[in-house]
Amino acid sequence: MISIENLEYVYPSGRHALKNINLTIQRGEFVAIVGRNGSGKSTFAGVLSGLIKPTKGTVLVNGINTRSKKNFIELRKTLGMVFQNPENQIVFEKVRDDIAFGLRNLNFTDAEIETRIDEISKTMAIEQFTDSFELSMGQKQRVAIASVLAMNPQCIVFDEPTAMLDPKGKKDIQNIVVELHKAGLTVVYVTNVIDEVLVADRIVVIENGSIKAEFQKHELFDNIEKMKSFGLEIPLTMDLLHILKQKGIDIFVKKWAVDDVANNIFTYIEMIKDEMNA
Ligand SMILES: Nc1ncnc2c1ncn2[C@@H]1O[C@H](COP(=O)(O)OP(=O)(O)OP(=O)(O)O)[C@@H](O)[C@H]1O
Ligand SMILES: [Mg+2]
Protein backbone atom coordinates (compact mmCIF):
# COMPACT_ATOMS: atom_id res chain seq x y z
CA MET A 1 0.00 0.00 0.00
CA ILE A 2 2.78 2.44 0.98
CA SER A 3 6.37 1.97 -0.01
CA ILE A 4 9.06 4.38 1.12
CA GLU A 5 12.61 4.18 -0.17
CA ASN A 6 15.62 6.18 0.96
CA LEU A 7 13.45 9.12 1.98
CA GLU A 8 15.19 12.34 3.00
CA TYR A 9 13.62 15.66 3.79
CA VAL A 10 15.43 18.93 4.39
CA TYR A 11 13.39 22.04 5.27
CA PRO A 12 14.27 25.23 3.35
CA SER A 13 15.81 26.40 6.64
CA GLY A 14 18.40 23.63 6.23
CA ARG A 15 16.94 21.44 8.99
CA HIS A 16 17.42 17.81 7.96
CA ALA A 17 14.11 16.52 9.35
CA LEU A 18 13.98 13.02 7.78
CA LYS A 19 16.96 10.80 7.06
CA ASN A 20 17.23 7.59 5.11
CA ILE A 21 13.75 6.28 5.86
CA ASN A 22 12.79 2.91 4.38
CA LEU A 23 9.41 1.48 5.27
CA THR A 24 6.70 -0.64 3.71
CA ILE A 25 3.15 -0.53 5.00
CA GLN A 26 0.78 -3.28 3.90
CA ARG A 27 -2.79 -2.71 2.89
CA GLY A 28 -5.06 -2.93 5.93
CA GLU A 29 -2.20 -2.55 8.39
CA PHE A 30 -2.39 -0.23 11.42
CA VAL A 31 1.00 1.37 12.04
CA ALA A 32 1.68 3.68 14.97
CA ILE A 33 4.46 6.23 14.57
CA VAL A 34 5.95 7.34 17.88
CA GLY A 35 8.88 9.51 18.92
CA ARG A 36 9.92 12.51 20.96
CA ASN A 37 8.89 16.09 20.17
CA GLY A 38 10.74 17.30 17.13
CA SER A 39 11.73 13.78 16.02
CA GLY A 40 10.12 14.27 12.59
CA LYS A 41 6.72 12.57 12.95
CA SER A 42 4.61 15.39 11.49
CA THR A 43 7.09 15.91 8.67
CA PHE A 44 6.81 12.20 7.91
CA ALA A 45 2.99 12.38 7.95
CA GLY A 46 3.17 15.38 5.62
CA VAL A 47 5.36 13.48 3.19
CA LEU A 48 2.99 10.48 3.15
CA SER A 49 0.07 12.74 2.31
CA GLY A 50 1.97 14.46 -0.47
CA LEU A 51 1.82 17.88 1.22
CA ILE A 52 5.60 17.77 1.66
CA LYS A 53 7.67 16.60 -1.32
CA PRO A 54 10.70 14.42 -0.53
CA THR A 55 14.08 16.07 -0.96
CA LYS A 56 15.41 12.64 -1.93
CA GLY A 57 13.95 9.17 -2.26
CA THR A 58 10.55 7.90 -3.26
CA VAL A 59 7.18 7.51 -1.58
CA LEU A 60 4.63 5.40 -3.43
CA VAL A 61 1.02 5.12 -2.25
CA ASN A 62 -0.69 2.34 -4.19
CA GLY A 63 1.92 2.94 -6.82
CA ILE A 64 1.20 6.71 -6.96
CA ASN A 65 4.37 8.76 -6.59
CA THR A 66 3.56 11.48 -4.01
CA ARG A 67 6.01 13.78 -5.76
CA SER A 68 3.89 13.95 -8.90
CA LYS A 69 1.63 17.02 -9.15
CA LYS A 70 -0.28 15.35 -11.95
CA ASN A 71 -1.40 12.51 -9.66
CA PHE A 72 -2.39 14.67 -6.71
CA ILE A 73 -6.14 14.10 -7.12
CA GLU A 74 -5.60 10.37 -7.42
CA LEU A 75 -3.46 10.49 -4.28
CA ARG A 76 -6.15 12.44 -2.36
CA LYS A 77 -8.74 9.84 -3.29
CA THR A 78 -6.45 7.10 -2.02
CA LEU A 79 -5.00 8.63 1.13
CA GLY A 80 -6.52 11.14 3.55
CA MET A 81 -4.86 13.11 6.32
CA VAL A 82 -6.24 14.23 9.68
CA PHE A 83 -4.31 16.80 11.73
CA GLN A 84 -3.92 17.50 15.42
CA ASN A 85 -5.91 20.71 15.31
CA PRO A 86 -9.24 20.29 13.48
CA GLU A 87 -9.51 24.07 13.24
CA ASN A 88 -6.71 24.03 10.70
CA GLN A 89 -8.70 21.61 8.60
CA ILE A 90 -12.17 23.15 8.80
CA VAL A 91 -12.66 26.25 6.66
CA PHE A 92 -16.38 26.63 6.05
CA GLU A 93 -19.09 27.85 8.41
CA LYS A 94 -21.46 25.06 7.47
CA VAL A 95 -20.42 21.48 8.16
CA ARG A 96 -21.91 20.27 4.88
CA ASP A 97 -19.94 22.87 2.90
CA ASP A 98 -16.81 21.74 4.60
CA ILE A 99 -17.30 18.09 3.68
CA ALA A 100 -18.37 19.12 0.16
CA PHE A 101 -15.20 21.17 -0.39
CA GLY A 102 -12.83 18.22 -0.65
CA LEU A 103 -15.25 16.32 -2.84
CA ARG A 104 -15.70 19.27 -5.17
CA ASN A 105 -11.92 19.48 -5.57
CA LEU A 106 -11.96 15.84 -6.62
CA ASN A 107 -14.52 16.61 -9.32
CA PHE A 108 -17.48 14.71 -7.89
CA THR A 109 -20.89 15.72 -9.25
CA ASP A 110 -23.27 17.73 -7.04
CA ALA A 111 -25.65 14.80 -6.68
CA GLU A 112 -22.82 12.49 -5.69
CA ILE A 113 -21.55 15.04 -3.19
CA GLU A 114 -24.94 15.29 -1.49
CA THR A 115 -25.26 11.51 -1.26
CA ARG A 116 -21.78 11.12 0.14
CA ILE A 117 -22.33 13.85 2.76
CA ASP A 118 -25.56 12.16 3.89
CA GLU A 119 -23.86 8.78 4.14
CA ILE A 120 -20.78 9.91 5.98
CA SER A 121 -22.76 12.16 8.35
CA LYS A 122 -24.77 9.14 9.38
CA THR A 123 -21.73 6.90 9.82
CA MET A 124 -19.90 9.51 11.89
CA ALA A 125 -23.03 10.52 13.84
CA ILE A 126 -22.62 14.17 12.94
CA GLU A 127 -26.01 14.65 11.25
CA GLN A 128 -27.08 17.09 13.96
CA PHE A 129 -23.96 19.27 13.53
CA THR A 130 -24.69 22.25 11.28
CA ASP A 131 -22.43 25.21 12.10
CA SER A 132 -18.73 24.29 12.18
CA PHE A 133 -17.72 27.09 14.51
CA GLU A 134 -20.28 26.19 17.16
CA LEU A 135 -18.81 22.74 17.67
CA SER A 136 -16.50 21.55 20.44
CA MET A 137 -12.96 20.50 19.59
CA GLY A 138 -13.92 16.81 19.66
CA GLN A 139 -16.95 17.42 17.45
CA LYS A 140 -14.79 19.41 15.03
CA GLN A 141 -12.36 16.52 14.86
CA ARG A 142 -15.22 14.20 13.93
CA VAL A 143 -16.17 16.59 11.13
CA ALA A 144 -12.55 16.72 9.97
CA ILE A 145 -12.43 12.91 9.86
CA ALA A 146 -15.80 12.82 8.05
CA SER A 147 -14.45 15.23 5.41
CA VAL A 148 -11.59 12.87 4.75
CA LEU A 149 -13.72 9.72 4.82
CA ALA A 150 -16.20 11.21 2.35
CA MET A 151 -13.49 10.79 -0.28
CA ASN A 152 -13.56 7.08 0.45
CA PRO A 153 -9.79 6.69 0.86
CA GLN A 154 -8.05 3.33 1.37
CA CYS A 155 -5.62 4.82 3.83
CA ILE A 156 -5.78 7.53 6.50
CA VAL A 157 -2.83 9.25 8.13
CA PHE A 158 -3.58 10.75 11.54
CA ASP A 159 -1.19 13.23 13.14
CA GLU A 160 -1.91 13.25 16.89
CA PRO A 161 -5.66 13.61 16.32
CA THR A 162 -6.56 13.40 20.01
CA ALA A 163 -3.97 15.84 21.36
CA MET A 164 -6.43 18.69 21.83
CA LEU A 165 -9.37 16.66 23.10
CA ASP A 166 -10.73 15.86 26.56
CA PRO A 167 -10.82 12.21 27.75
CA LYS A 168 -14.27 11.55 26.29
CA GLY A 169 -13.30 13.21 22.99
CA LYS A 170 -10.08 11.16 22.89
CA LYS A 171 -11.99 7.92 23.46
CA ASP A 172 -14.52 8.77 20.73
CA ILE A 173 -11.79 9.39 18.16
CA GLN A 174 -9.81 6.32 19.23
CA ASN A 175 -12.93 4.18 18.79
CA ILE A 176 -13.55 5.67 15.35
CA VAL A 177 -9.97 4.89 14.30
CA VAL A 178 -10.26 1.29 15.50
CA GLU A 179 -13.53 0.88 13.60
CA LEU A 180 -11.98 2.29 10.42
CA HIS A 181 -9.14 -0.20 10.71
CA LYS A 182 -11.60 -3.05 11.27
CA ALA A 183 -13.46 -1.92 8.18
CA GLY A 184 -10.26 -2.54 6.22
CA LEU A 185 -8.62 0.89 6.01
CA THR A 186 -4.87 1.20 6.24
CA VAL A 187 -4.11 3.44 9.23
CA VAL A 188 -0.93 5.38 9.94
CA TYR A 189 -1.28 6.93 13.37
CA VAL A 190 1.20 9.43 14.75
CA THR A 191 0.90 9.71 18.51
CA ASN A 192 2.65 10.63 21.70
CA VAL A 193 0.03 8.91 23.83
CA ILE A 194 1.52 5.52 24.35
CA ASP A 195 -1.76 3.86 25.35
CA GLU A 196 -2.97 4.64 21.84
CA VAL A 197 -0.33 2.42 20.24
CA LEU A 198 -1.88 -0.63 21.85
CA VAL A 199 -4.44 -0.89 19.07
CA ALA A 200 -1.78 -0.80 16.33
CA ASP A 201 -0.34 -3.89 14.63
CA ARG A 202 3.13 -2.40 14.43
CA ILE A 203 4.97 0.41 16.22
CA VAL A 204 7.63 2.44 14.43
CA VAL A 205 9.93 4.61 16.54
CA ILE A 206 11.34 7.75 14.90
CA GLU A 207 14.23 9.57 16.53
CA ASN A 208 16.10 12.49 15.09
CA GLY A 209 14.52 11.95 11.67
CA SER A 210 15.38 8.24 11.35
CA ILE A 211 13.58 5.00 12.10
CA LYS A 212 15.31 3.67 15.21
CA ALA A 213 13.15 0.64 16.00
CA GLU A 214 10.12 -1.29 14.85
CA PHE A 215 8.05 -3.63 16.98
CA GLN A 216 5.06 -5.79 16.31
CA LYS A 217 2.52 -5.18 19.07
CA HIS A 218 3.18 -8.56 20.69
CA GLU A 219 6.90 -7.70 20.94
CA LEU A 220 6.30 -4.53 22.89
CA PHE A 221 6.18 -6.07 26.36
CA ASP A 222 9.61 -7.67 25.89
CA ASN A 223 11.09 -4.39 24.69
CA ILE A 224 10.01 -2.09 27.50
CA GLU A 225 13.56 -1.10 28.44
CA LYS A 226 14.33 -0.29 24.81
CA MET A 227 11.19 1.83 24.49
CA LYS A 228 12.19 3.70 27.63
CA SER A 229 15.64 4.33 26.16
CA PHE A 230 13.91 6.24 23.33
CA GLY A 231 12.27 8.48 25.92
CA LEU A 232 8.90 6.88 25.27
CA GLU A 233 6.26 6.35 27.84
CA ILE A 234 5.15 2.79 28.51
CA PRO A 235 1.46 1.92 28.80
CA LEU A 236 0.71 1.81 32.54
CA THR A 237 -0.69 -1.70 32.41
CA MET A 238 2.52 -2.94 30.73
CA ASP A 239 4.70 -1.13 33.21
CA LEU A 240 2.76 -2.67 36.09
CA LEU A 241 3.11 -6.23 34.78
CA HIS A 242 6.76 -5.58 33.92
CA ILE A 243 7.49 -4.60 37.53
CA LEU A 244 5.58 -7.64 38.81
CA LYS A 245 7.57 -9.85 36.43
CA GLN A 246 10.84 -8.46 37.76
CA LYS A 247 9.59 -9.47 41.21
CA GLY A 248 8.96 -13.01 39.99
CA ILE A 249 5.23 -12.77 39.34
CA ASP A 250 4.69 -13.58 35.68
CA ILE A 251 1.14 -12.90 34.59
CA PHE A 252 0.28 -13.65 30.99
CA VAL A 253 -2.07 -11.26 29.23
CA LYS A 254 -3.29 -11.03 25.67
CA LYS A 255 -4.86 -7.58 25.84
CA TRP A 256 -3.56 -4.54 27.66
CA ALA A 257 -6.75 -2.67 28.44
CA VAL A 258 -7.12 -2.00 32.18
CA ASP A 259 -10.10 -4.32 32.63
CA ASP A 260 -8.41 -7.18 30.74
CA VAL A 261 -5.25 -6.85 32.84
CA ALA A 262 -7.26 -6.54 36.09
CA ASN A 263 -9.12 -9.73 35.17
CA ASN A 264 -5.84 -11.56 34.53
CA ILE A 265 -4.42 -10.41 37.86
CA PHE A 266 -7.64 -11.50 39.58
CA THR A 267 -7.49 -14.95 37.95
CA TYR A 268 -3.84 -15.26 38.98
CA ILE A 269 -4.66 -14.44 42.62
CA GLU A 270 -7.56 -16.89 42.64
CA MET A 271 -5.23 -19.58 41.28
CA ILE A 272 -2.67 -18.89 44.04
CA LYS A 273 -5.43 -19.00 46.65
CA ASP A 274 -6.61 -22.38 45.32
CA GLU A 275 -3.07 -23.71 45.39
CA MET A 276 -2.63 -22.59 48.99
CA ASN A 277 -5.89 -24.22 50.01
CA ALA A 278 -5.09 -27.46 48.23
N1 LIG B 1 8.33 24.46 8.73
C1 LIG B 1 9.49 24.11 9.25
N2 LIG B 1 10.65 24.74 8.91
C2 LIG B 1 11.83 24.36 9.43
N3 LIG B 1 11.99 23.36 10.31
C3 LIG B 1 10.88 22.70 10.69
C4 LIG B 1 9.58 23.03 10.19
N4 LIG B 1 8.68 22.20 10.75
C5 LIG B 1 9.38 21.39 11.56
N5 LIG B 1 10.70 21.68 11.54
C6 LIG B 1 11.78 21.02 12.26
O1 LIG B 1 11.87 19.67 11.81
C7 LIG B 1 12.05 18.78 12.89
C8 LIG B 1 10.92 17.77 12.92
O2 LIG B 1 9.71 18.44 13.20
P1 LIG B 1 8.30 17.70 13.26
O3 LIG B 1 7.26 18.74 13.40
O4 LIG B 1 8.21 16.79 12.11
O5 LIG B 1 8.46 16.86 14.60
P2 LIG B 1 7.37 16.03 15.43
O6 LIG B 1 7.97 14.71 15.74
O7 LIG B 1 6.06 16.06 14.73
O8 LIG B 1 7.28 16.86 16.77
P3 LIG B 1 6.04 17.04 17.79
O9 LIG B 1 6.00 15.80 18.64
O10 LIG B 1 6.41 18.23 18.58
O11 LIG B 1 4.79 17.23 16.99
C9 LIG B 1 12.11 19.65 14.13
O12 LIG B 1 13.45 19.87 14.45
C10 LIG B 1 11.46 20.94 13.73
O13 LIG B 1 12.00 22.03 14.42
MG1 LIG C 1 4.15 16.75 15.24
Side-chain angles (χ1 to χ4, degrees):
M1 170 93 223
I2 300 178
S3 148
I4 303 162
E5 267 180 41
N6 306 324
L7 167 66
E8 307 270 332
Y9 184 71
V10 183
Y11 278 104
S13 65
R15 169 86 199 170
H16 201 157
L18 298 175
K19 297 165 199 160
N20 194 30
I21 293 200
N22 291 284
L23 189 70
T24 304
I25 296 174
Q26 305 299 336
R27 171 175 288 215
E29 209 183 349
F30 187 147
V31 177
I33 309 285
V34 300
R36 296 176 217 260
N37 288 138
S39 56
K41 304 182 297 296
S42 295
T43 310
F44 181 67
V47 170
L48 290 186
S49 66
L51 298 174
I52 297 176
K53 306 293 179 203
T55 306
K56 271 192 204 156
T58 322
V59 178
L60 298 178
V61 177
N62 257 5
I64 306 166
N65 192 325
T66 62
R67 200 191 282 279
S68 152
K69 287 204 175 79
K70 186 171 96 251
N71 293 338
F72 193 74
I73 289 188
E74 211 43 51
L75 179 64
R76 248 321 127 267
K77 283 184 181 168
T78 310
L79 181 146
M81 165 111 193
V82 175
F83 301 87
Q84 175 172 338
N85 185 348
E87 291 183 343
N88 293 341
Q89 201 152 351
I90 293 174
V91 266
F92 291 93
E93 259 175 61
K94 298 289 176 202
V95 168
R96 288 186 77 89
D97 291 340
D98 214 82
I99 303 174
F101 178 67
L103 294 170
R104 216 156 268 142
N105 279 342
L106 300 187
N107 304 328
F108 285 96
T109 65
D110 285 349
E112 212 169 355
I113 290 175
E114 292 305 314
T115 314
R116 284 202 178 209
I117 295 177
D118 288 341
E119 279 171 9
I120 203 63
S121 300
K122 205 164 164 202
T123 317
M124 293 293 290
I126 58 166
E127 292 148 298
Q128 73 281 23
F129 301 170
T130 53
D131 295 288
S132 310
F133 300 105
E134 286 173 11
L135 302 175
S136 74
M137 233 13 153
Q139 292 169 332
K140 281 179 188 158
Q141 194 58 293
R142 272 162 59 194
V143 171
I145 295 175
S147 299
V148 169
L149 286 179
M151 299 179 215
N152 204 10
Q154 291 169 22
C155 174
I156 303 199
V157 178
F158 292 91
D159 188 4
E160 301 199 49
T162 64
M164 307 186 76
L165 312 186
D166 68 13
K168 163 84 169 59
K170 281 190 188 356
K171 202 77 223 150
D172 283 349
I173 299 299
Q174 287 159 2
N175 288 339
I176 289 169
V177 175
V178 168
E179 287 306 316
L180 292 175
H181 177 231
K182 274 193 198 150
L185 265 86
T186 308
V187 176
V188 180
Y189 194 96
V190 171
T191 181
N192 255 321
V193 184
I194 202 69
D195 282 330
E196 292 189 342
V197 312
L198 292 173
V199 290
D201 302 319
R202 182 156 56 124
I203 295 108
V204 172
V205 183
I206 296 194
E207 191 167 71
N208 205 7
S210 302
I211 294 179
K212 286 288 154 61
E214 274 184 60
F215 306 108
Q216 295 294 326
K217 184 169 56 182
H218 65 89
E219 296 171 327
L220 206 53
F221 186 65
D222 291 326
N223 284 285
I224 286 184
E225 297 302 334
K226 205 165 172 190
M227 293 282 286
K228 284 185 177 169
S229 75
F230 293 118
L232 299 167
E233 230 189 321
I234 303 301
L236 280 178
T237 49
M238 275 197 182
D239 223 6
L240 173 70
L241 290 201
H242 181 60
I243 293 168
L244 287 174
K245 192 174 176 180
Q246 285 172 330
K247 292 183 187 298
I249 298 172
D250 200 355
I251 298 174
F252 177 76
V253 302
K254 272 193 178 154
K255 292 185 177 170
W256 295 99
V258 173
D259 46 356
D260 293 313
V261 172
N263 277 329
N264 282 293
I265 295 176
F266 178 78
T267 310
Y268 180 85
I269 294 172
E270 288 293 299
M271 194 183 74
I272 300 283
K273 273 205 243 164
D274 285 349
E275 276 176 19
M276 284 167 72
N277 289 338

